[in-house]
């Protein structure tokens, strides 16, 4: 589990760090709306900055979402299966679908980023012509982080197949509905204890 938690820890750290892009994105959109509609003086850089912040957030939080098991999955039937069957399915599907896509992202992302660095690519959509090769470097990094987290998920599948129980994850955040349902269960339990006295 130390190996799995080490990779999960890296994914959580990167996800938390790039989560701040939301704040930067919110502030830049708010600033642009204010100067555009109140001062009638739009900026030339805000649109590119918004695209790059959103792109960085999307790319770099993928491994975080995988580490937290928060990617969307069609689990209508899956959740009804025993843990060993779930682990077997996940193991096979990671090899069939996940790793080919993620490795392609890393491989071709590396080519895209290296080409962008070679000719110092700038945005052609903006009059500001801002440099975008820094942000294109995030494409292969995101691919490698997802691949590392995928290896941790494979180890998790093997452990679940052997024991019949999914190993614990490093928990960063919880869904509000989970917190409320836990609180409801505690309230119901305490109410039942009080009434049984």
């Amino acid at each position: 589990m130390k190996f799995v938690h080490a990779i999960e820890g890296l994914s959580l750290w990167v996800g938390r760090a790039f989560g701040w892009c939301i704040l930067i994105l919110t502030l830049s959109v708010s600033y642009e709306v204010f100067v555009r509609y109140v001062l009638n003086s739009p900026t030339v850089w805000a649109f590119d900055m918004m695209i790059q912040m959103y792109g960085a957030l999307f790319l770099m939080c993928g491994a975080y979402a995988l580490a937290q098991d928060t990617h969307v999955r069609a689990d209508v039937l899956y959740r009804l299966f025993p843990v060993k069957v779930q682990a077997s399915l996940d193991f096979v599907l990671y090899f069939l679908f996940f790793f080919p896509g993620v490795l392609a992202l890393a491989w071709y992302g590396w080519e895209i980023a290296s080409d962008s660095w070679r000719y110092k690519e700038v945005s052609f959509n903006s009059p500001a012509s801002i440099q975008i090769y820094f942000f294109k470097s995030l494409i292969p990094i995101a691919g490698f982080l997802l691949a590392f987290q995928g290896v941790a998920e494979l180890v998790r599948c093997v452990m679940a197949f052997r024991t019949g129980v999914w190993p614990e994850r490093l928990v960063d955040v919880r869904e509000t509905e989970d917190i409320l349902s836990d609180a409801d269960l505690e309230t119901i339990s305490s109410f039942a204890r009080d009434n049984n006295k």
Side-chain angles (χ1 to χ4, degrees), residues 18-31:
F18 278 87
W20 286 100
C21 290
I22 293 174
L23 181 62
I24 297 168
L25 186 58
T26 303
L27 293 174
S28 62
V29 169
S30 300
Y31 177 78

Side-chain angles (χ1 to χ4, degrees), residues 7 10-11 14-15 18 54-66 71 98-99 101-110 113 134-151:
I7 293 174
L10 174 65
S11 298
V14 171
F18 278 87
Y54 180 72
L57 178 68
F58 179 79
L59 280 169
M60 300 306 289
C61 290
Y64 172 88
L66 187 59
H71 281 286
F98 179 79
F99 281 109
V102 165
L103 293 176
L105 177 69
W107 180 269
Y108 291 108
W110 181 268
F134 298 108
F135 288 97
K136 286 205 174 178
S137 301
L138 296 178
I139 299 170
I141 294 170
F144 290 122
L145 285 172
L146 279 165
F148 289 143
Q149 186 59 44
V151 170

Side-chain angles (χ1 to χ4, degrees), residues 68-90:
Q68 292 292 291
D69 194 28
T70 56
H71 281 286
V72 175
R73 75 166 69 205
D75 62 352
V76 175
L77 297 176
Y78 174 88
R79 64 182 165 186
L80 302 174
F81 297 145
V83 171
K84 289 187 176 190
V85 175
Q86 291 176 353
S88 302
L89 276 171
D90 281 359

